Amino acid sequence: WNNVFMQFNRIDEKTLEPLPKKNVDTGMGLERTNCILQGKTSVYQTEVFQPIIAEIEKLSNYKYGTDEEKDRSVRIIADHSRASVFIIGDPRGVSPSNVGAGYVLRRLIRRAVRHGMKLGIEKSFLAEIAETVIENFKAAYPELEQNSAKIKQELTAEEEK
C-alpha cells in the first residue's frame, strides 16, 4: 500500500497546522477495517454486502461462491448498484448523462446491467437491488429513503436504455 503520512491539521484553505504527533494513514478505509475486525477475508462477506449479494442470488438463481467468473459479476453488480444508489440519492441530484459525474454514474449502471446479463438476469433488476440497498442504509442515510422513488426511476430508465 502507498502509505500517506498524516502531518497536518487543515485550519482553512490556506492554513495547515503541524500535528504534534505524525502518523501513517494505511488507506484501509472503513470497509476494510470492518472486514478485519469481523475476521472476514473479503468485504463482500460483511453485512455491508451480504444482503445485496443475497438479492442478486435471488434474481439470478445463482449461488455466490460456486464459480469465480460469476462471483466476479456478482461483486461488480453489488458494488456498482450500491454506488449508483448513493450517487442518485445524494441531495445534489446527479443523474445519468454524457458528462461529468453523470457519465461516471451511467458507466456504473451499464456495467452492472452487463454483468446481470452474464448471470442470466433477463429483466430489469437494479430497482429491486436498490430497495435492498436503501433498506440497509436508510438509518444512517435517510436521504436514500426520501429519494427512493427517484433512485428506482433513474436506475430503471437507464437500465432500459
Side-chain angles (χ1 to χ4, degrees):
W1 286 343
N2 184 11
N3 292 329
V4 177
F5 289 95
M6 304 297 290
Q7 354 183 24
F8 299 102
N9 180 30
R10 182 176 296 277
I11 305 300
D12 57 37
E13 284 186 30
K14 296 180 182 180
T15 311
L16 296 175
E17 178 182 273
L19 291 169
K21 294 189 178 189
K22 316 301 187 248
N23 60 52
V24 176
D25 179 357
T26 64
M28 278 184 31
L30 183 60
E31 289 173 347
R32 288 184 186 143
T33 302
N34 185 34
C35 179
I36 290 168
L37 291 173
Q38 292 182 16
K40 308 291 184 184
T41 58
S42 166
V43 295
Y44 297 100
Q45 296 172 338
T46 67
E47 75 279 356
V48 172
F49 282 102
Q50 280 300 295
I52 303 168
I53 289 172
E55 184 65 23
I56 296 166
E57 287 178 324
K58 186 176 88 178
L59 293 166
S60 67
N61 293 316
Y62 168 71
K63 178 67 178 151
Y64 183 70
T66 56
D67 176 276
E68 184 50 42
E69 188 174 333
K70 289 182 178 182
D71 287 354
R72 182 174 179 270
S73 289
V74 170
R75 290 189 300 267
I76 288 169
I77 295 166
D79 188 56
H80 287 28
S81 59
R82 183 182 70 136
S84 297
V85 167
F86 275 90
I87 292 169
I88 297 167
D90 186 278
R92 291 171 280 202
V94 175
S95 295
S97 71
N98 289 327
V99 295
Y103 180 72
V104 173
L105 174 60
R106 174 167 279 160
R107 300 304 306 154
L108 288 170
I109 294 168
R110 290 186 177 184
R111 188 166 186 230
V113 170
R114 187 171 69 248
H115 281 275
M117 291 175 177
K118 284 183 162 191
L119 290 177
I121 303 174
E122 297 177 0
K123 62 176 187 144
S124 294
F125 65 93
L126 290 178
E128 292 177 63
I129 294 173
E131 288 177 12
T132 301
V133 174
I134 293 165
E135 183 61 32
N136 287 311
F137 289 97
K138 69 182 181 184
Y141 300 94
E143 64 272 18
L144 296 179
E145 188 171 38
Q146 293 162 2
N147 296 321
S148 175
K150 177 188 176 206
I151 292 167
K152 291 186 272 188
Q153 182 268 324
E154 293 272 6
L155 287 170
T156 300
E158 187 63 27
E159 190 171 9
E160 289 174 357
K161 286 182 182 178

